[in-house]
Structures are given as C-alpha cells and as structure tokens.
Amino acid sequence: MNPRIRKSTLEDAKHFIRIKECLPLNTQSDHTQQGGFLLGTDIETYKFYISHGICFTAIASDEVVGFGIMLPNELVKQSELWEKRKTVQWSVDLAKLEHSNISYLEQMAFLRGNRKLTLILSYNLVHAAFENGADHILTTTVRKPVANEAAIPLIHAVGGRRVGNIDEVYPQVGAINSDIYLMDKTTFYESIKSRISYDFLIANSI
C-alpha cells in the first residue's frame, strides 16, 4: 500500500507511544536538529487527544510511522499553557489572542526517512485547524535545557514567527524554557502557495 495519512483512531494511541519511545530528545548536547521528546505523554492522554482534538496518522508499508496532534480552541483555553499566558514574555498583543480562536500544535513526530509524509501530514493538520475555525495556531519548541530546532525551519516556511517565551518547571525534567511560535491563517496560505511543493500538497489533501 502506498504511503498515506488518515484521521487517527483510538487504536493508534499505542503506536504514538511506540514512536515517542523511539525518539528521545538528546540531552547530551545544548541543541539538536533531530527533534525528540523531553516530556512524556501516556496512552490515556493520547486517546483523549484523538477523541477531542484533530489528529492524523501516517502509514507506510502498513506500519504507523508518524502522527500529528492539534488541539482546538476549547481545549487550548483549558490548557496549562493558557493558564500561564500572563507569565509569557509576548511580542504580540495578548488581548487580541484572548479574543481569537486559537489552535495549538501539541505534537508531531515521525520515524526517520518519511520526509514526504511529514510534509503531507503537516499541511493537512494545519489546514484542518484553520478549516475548523482557527484564527491563529500556536506551538512551542524547547529552548533550554536543549534547543530543539527540528521544527523551526518548517514553522518559518509556512509563515510562522516567534511571538513569546515561557519558563516552566516539570517534576520529571526540572526547569524548561520554551519559545512560542504563531501561525496565522492568511500568512499560512500565502506562504504555502509560494512553495514549489504546493501542487504536491494539494494533491495529497484529505
């Protein structure tokens, strides 16, 4: 069967765990372009995301090789990040964000060697969020203790920009500093149309 993406099912949660466990963040360096996970997500949380969020699964050779999770506005406004929003060092008007429909790119992960599927899933995930009513999409990338630079080129390629920074503490890993990025609907579609991969992405929309 050809590589493809589809909407996630509850059965995919165990594969999300498998992929996450294959991709630990390398904490032996101060930066990485390979990505990986620093914080854990359990299977029940993945099932919740699949049931209530926008989730896509990537398949290659009949195996789950990647996934993406987008949280809609109602979950974002109940999230820990949103509760901490007044502690963020914002470079945009927080009041405007508070009155906007916000989606949050929670996770996206792929086993190595699936670049085309990564592009297809990324486009469809963001497109689905905007079709669902989002004005803006937020996402975070870890800056300290390890600068996780894997997603930053892709974020910039679709018009995303850094708009904030937040300090947090998690019991399992300690202090974390993260950059917050924002993508807006108009800039996203303008950026996508200028990419040489535009026709390819449209042809692989779901």
Side-chain angles (χ1 to χ4, degrees):
M1 183 178 293
N2 292 331
R4 61 190 175 91
I5 67 169
R6 58 163 171 76
K7 291 183 178 180
S8 302
T9 68
L10 292 177
E11 283 296 308
D12 292 334
K14 63 179 180 292
H15 298 293
F16 293 6
I17 293 286
R18 170 177 56 82
I19 291 170
K20 177 179 67 72
E21 290 176 348
C22 289
L23 300 171
L25 189 68
N26 179 10
T27 58
Q28 302 306 307
S29 175
D30 59 1
H31 72 282
T32 179
Q33 296 180 340
Q34 298 300 314
F37 288 86
L38 187 60
L39 299 172
T41 303
D42 61 33
I43 194 165
E44 293 305 319
T45 301
Y46 277 131
K47 288 181 177 180
F48 176 83
Y49 289 155
I50 292 168
S51 297
H52 300 281
I54 302 170
C55 300
F56 291 135
T57 297
I59 311 290
S61 301
D62 293 325
E63 178 186 3
V64 174
V65 296
F67 64 91
I69 299 169
M70 185 78 71
L71 304 184
N73 184 68
E74 56 269 26
L75 294 185
V76 174
K77 299 296 174 64
Q78 299 171 23
S79 69
E80 187 175 355
L81 174 63
W82 197 253
E83 290 177 359
K84 298 176 180 176
R85 67 191 182 280
K86 296 188 185 299
T87 69
V88 173
Q89 301 172 40
W90 294 102
S91 61
V92 293
D93 186 347
L94 175 58
K96 288 184 178 179
L97 286 181
E98 290 178 325
H99 291 90
S100 298
N101 186 313
I102 304 292
S103 286
Y104 180 76
L105 179 54
E106 168 67 26
Q107 294 181 21
M108 191 166 65
F110 279 81
L111 299 179
R112 314 294 183 214
N114 292 286
R115 178 171 171 74
K116 286 185 177 180
L117 278 174
T118 303
L119 294 175
I120 293 169
L121 189 146
S122 300
Y123 169 77
N124 279 279
L125 192 62
V126 174
H127 176 65
F130 287 132
E131 286 289 293
N132 193 50
D135 300 309
H136 309 287
I137 294 172
L138 295 176
T139 194
T140 55
T141 64
V142 175
R143 189 168 188 175
K144 296 177 182 178
V146 180
N148 187 355
E149 302 169 350
I152 295 175
L154 186 58
I155 293 169
H156 287 161
V158 296
R161 66 189 192 279
R162 181 181 177 274
V163 296
N165 182 269
I166 184 170
D167 288 310
E168 300 176 277
V169 177
Y170 292 90
Q172 60 268 51
V173 295
I176 293 179
N177 177 268
S178 299
D179 287 328
I180 302 173
Y181 289 83
L182 179 145
M183 294 171 273
D184 68 72
K185 186 173 183 177
T186 300
T187 304
F188 171 75
Y189 287 110
E190 288 176 350
S191 299
I192 286 295
K193 287 180 180 178
S194 69
R195 312 299 295 182
I196 59 173
S197 56
Y198 177 71
D199 290 339
F200 169 75
L201 294 174
I202 296 303
N204 286 279
S205 298
I206 62 171

